[in-house]
């Protein structure tokens, strides 16, 4: 490990793995060009594709060199549990896409969610979270982190400013929400939630998995930390688990030093380093997450998975418009069908989140549509059994279309009251539209409903 560095082309394994602080040389280029080129620029005679550094360890000529890495005083890699050159190259690309200063990959989206929050929220602290979030995130906050001494207040994304302010406590350390919630498909008013968080001296953390930076860049609306399950659209093919955390570099931890002692006071587990002093506002948060949390919990991403992720990123700007177009077409089909009780999709005029969708997602949201089948839970299950093309899977957001009944699967641990707060009703079916021909998807949905 080593000090924060400006990310020149990551090709010689000499950059500091603790924090990939990005000097985005593609900043003036379009988002599609960044999908292809950001993060890696090979020199003459070097590989055109990013190399897979499939090694657990790295050799040095002296113990002093290795000691300097452990002291966070020198640049280099020493053990891939903490960081790896392939991973850092891909993290730099995602940071460039989101417009952040630093990023780290994790072994899964769930690990990214946990690290992002636990990096600044610990025993005796309080978290404010939108109530309409992914069931796994709800369980992480409400059950697992509660056992670690963290209290969470879940509040509707539609809460007024007064209700938002009332949710904060003196020990509140962060606010969490999803750009487009899974599976409720609520759209977070990022600008308003960021303003509330900042009024109380804490950062806003946003899971941007469904929108991706192609359709929304939360930093532009005031968010401070962005999280991705890269397993979803970024990979795009259901091939590799992964997660990513990106820091905007804009939140001033030192202005609220008493709230964030882990960043602003000496870390005795790393020889008294003060992360904000050593790595600055642009690198302190990710450096701490890597040096502490990845060191101790070890949810590192495989370099091979990072390579697969990069292949997906190279086509992200081409796939997302197709996902959104298919989602829009299927949503319109569902809205017109007599067997459908209701449809949630922010691209539908009349949807409760249409206006926010136009504000934050003007080029389209995603390929995920949630709807209720008339007849309740049994009818929802029969509908899914009638599908021919769209598969029943515990997945979402990849090239192949799939569907799920969240109340029986991803949100199964919730009681009826919690399900209602999360926007998950018994008749809800979530369809993830892939990139197949639009007409084929619409026809499959139509015949499955008609057979009911």
């Amino acid at each position: 490990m080593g000090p924060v560095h400006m990310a020149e082309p990551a090709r010689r394994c000499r950059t500091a793995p603790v924090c990939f602080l990005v000097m985005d040389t593609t900043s003036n280029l379009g988002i599609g060009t960044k999908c292809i080129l950001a993060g890696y620029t090979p020199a003459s005679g070097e590989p055109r594709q990013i190399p897979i550094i499939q090694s657990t360890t790295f050799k040095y000529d002296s113990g002093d060199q290795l000691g300097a890495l452990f002291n966070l005083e020198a640049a280099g890699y020493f053990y891939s549990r903490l960081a790896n050159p392939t991973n850092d190259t891909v993290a730099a690309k995602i940071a460039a896409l989101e417009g952040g200063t630093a990023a780290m990959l994790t072994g899964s989206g769930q690990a990214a969610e946990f690290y992002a929050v636990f990096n600044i929220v610990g025993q005796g602290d309080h978290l404010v979270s939108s109530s309409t979030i992914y069931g796994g995130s709800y369980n992480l906050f409400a059950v697992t982190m509660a056992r670690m001494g963290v209290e969470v207040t879940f509040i509707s994304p539609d809460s007024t400013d007064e209700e938002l302010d009332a949710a904060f406590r003196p020990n509140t350390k962060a606010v969490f929400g999803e750009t487009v919630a899974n599976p409720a498909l609520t759209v977070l008013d990022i600008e308003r939630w960021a303003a509330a968080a900042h009024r109380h001296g804490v950062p806003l953390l946003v899971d941007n998995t469904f929108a991706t930076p192609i359709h929304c860049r939360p930093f532009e609306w005031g968010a401070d930390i962005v999280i991705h399950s890269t397993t979803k659209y970024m990979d795009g093919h259901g091939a590799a688990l992964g997660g990513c955390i990106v820091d905007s570099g804009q939140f001033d931890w030192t202005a609220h030093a008493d709230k964030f002692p882990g960043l602003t006071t000496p870390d005795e587990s790393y020889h008294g380093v003060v992360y904000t002093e050593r790595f600055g506002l642009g690198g302190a948060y990710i450096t701490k997450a890597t040096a502490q949390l990845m060191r101790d919990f070890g949810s590192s991403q495989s370099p091979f998975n990072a390579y697969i992720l990069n292949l997906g990123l190279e086509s992200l700007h081409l796939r997302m418009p197709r996902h959104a177009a298919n989602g829009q077409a299927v949503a319109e089909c569902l809205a017109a069908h007599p067997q459908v009780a209701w449809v949630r999709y922010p691209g539908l005029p009349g949807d409760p989140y249409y206006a926010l969708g136009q504000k934050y997602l003007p080029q389209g949201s995603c390929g995920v549509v949630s709807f209720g089948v008339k007849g309740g839970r049994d009818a929802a299950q029969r509908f899914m059994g009638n599908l021919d093309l769209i598969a029943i899977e515990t997945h979402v957001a990849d090239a192949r279309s799939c569907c799920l009944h969240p109340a029986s699967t991803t949100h199964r641990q919730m009681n009826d009251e919690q399900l209602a707060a999360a926007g998950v009703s018994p008749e809800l079916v979530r369809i993830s539209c892939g990139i197949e021909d639009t007409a084929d998807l619409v026809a499959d949905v139509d015949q499955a409903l008609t057979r009911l």
Side-chain angles (χ1 to χ4, degrees), residues 28 36 76 83 103-104 112 323-324 331 364 380 394 415 417 437 450:
N28 295 323
I36 302 295
M104 65 181 289
H323 283 294
T394 309
N415 59 37
E417 182 180 351
D437 285 352
T450 301

Side-chain angles (χ1 to χ4, degrees), residues 328 332 335 343 345-355 358:
Q328 184 74 29
E332 291 171 359
V343 183
Y345 189 75
L348 282 178
D351 185 89
Y353 296 93
Y354 180 76
Q358 293 301 296

Side-chain angles (χ1 to χ4, degrees), residues 347-384:
L348 282 178
D351 185 89
Y353 296 93
Y354 180 76
L356 286 176
Q358 293 301 296
K359 175 179 179 178
Y360 294 111
L361 308 156
Q363 299 179 63
S365 59
C366 60
V368 181
V369 184
S370 291
F371 67 102
V373 182
K374 290 181 178 178
R377 184 185 294 258
D378 290 342
Q381 297 281 18
R382 286 189 287 117
F383 162 77
M384 294 195 302

Side-chain angles (χ1 to χ4, degrees), residues 20 22 86-96 102-105 244 246:
F20 213 93
V22 176
T86 305
N87 293 22
D88 278 357
T89 298
V90 180
K93 175 175 285 189
I94 296 174
M104 65 181 289
L105 299 187
C244 186
V246 186

Side-chain angles (χ1 to χ4, degrees), residues 119-120 125 170 172-173 200-203 251-266 274-277 281 288:
N119 200 34
I120 50 175
D125 292 336
T172 301
K173 297 298 178 66
H200 295 272
V202 301
F251 189 81
D252 190 350
W253 309 103
T254 60
H256 312 282
D258 58 322
K259 286 182 176 290
F260 307 105
L263 290 165
T264 61
T265 62
V274 177
Y275 292 102
T276 51
E277 292 179 0
L281 297 182
K288 178 180 178 293

Side-chain angles (χ1 to χ4, degrees), residues 108-190:
S108 68
Q110 193 75 349
E113 211 100 293
F114 173 62
Y115 282 18
V117 174
F118 194 62
N119 200 34
I120 50 175
V121 182
Q123 185 178 24
D125 292 336
H126 176 249
L127 172 72
V128 174
S129 174
S130 170
S131 60
T132 57
I133 58 175
Y134 168 58
S137 301
Y138 180 94
N139 196 70
L140 170 67
F141 298 157
V143 179
T144 302
M145 293 193 72
R147 293 172 60 192
M148 304 170 77
V150 175
E151 291 188 83
V152 184
T153 296
F154 293 99
I155 186 169
S156 168
D158 304 326
S159 298
T160 65
D161 289 344
E162 292 73 21
E163 290 169 331
L164 267 174
D165 284 332
F168 287 83
R169 304 176 186 174
N171 61 337
T172 301
K173 297 298 178 66
V175 180
F176 177 87
E178 296 177 359
T179 307
V180 181
N182 176 17
L185 295 185
T186 58
V187 178
L188 189 72
D189 192 340
I190 300 171

Side-chain angles (χ1 to χ4, degrees), residues 182-183 342 369-373 375-385 387 391-395 402-413 419 424-432:
N182 176 17
W342 53 267
V369 184
S370 291
F371 67 102
V373 182
R377 184 185 294 258
D378 290 342
Q381 297 281 18
R382 286 189 287 117
F383 162 77
M384 294 195 302
L387 291 166
I392 301 173
E393 296 179 12
T394 309
H395 201 233
C402 59
C403 68
L404 199 67
H405 184 246
S408 299
T409 53
T410 56
H411 291 65
R412 193 181 187 96
Q413 75 278 7
L419 285 170
V424 179
S425 54
E427 75 277 11
L428 186 153
V429 174
R430 182 190 72 188
I431 289 183
S432 174

Side-chain angles (χ1 to χ4, degrees), residues 326 329-331 333 389-390 437-448:
N326 280 348
V330 167
C333 168
L389 182 67
I390 300 171
D437 285 352
T438 305
D440 293 333
L441 296 182
V442 170
D444 196 31
V445 168
D446 182 71
Q447 66 82 24

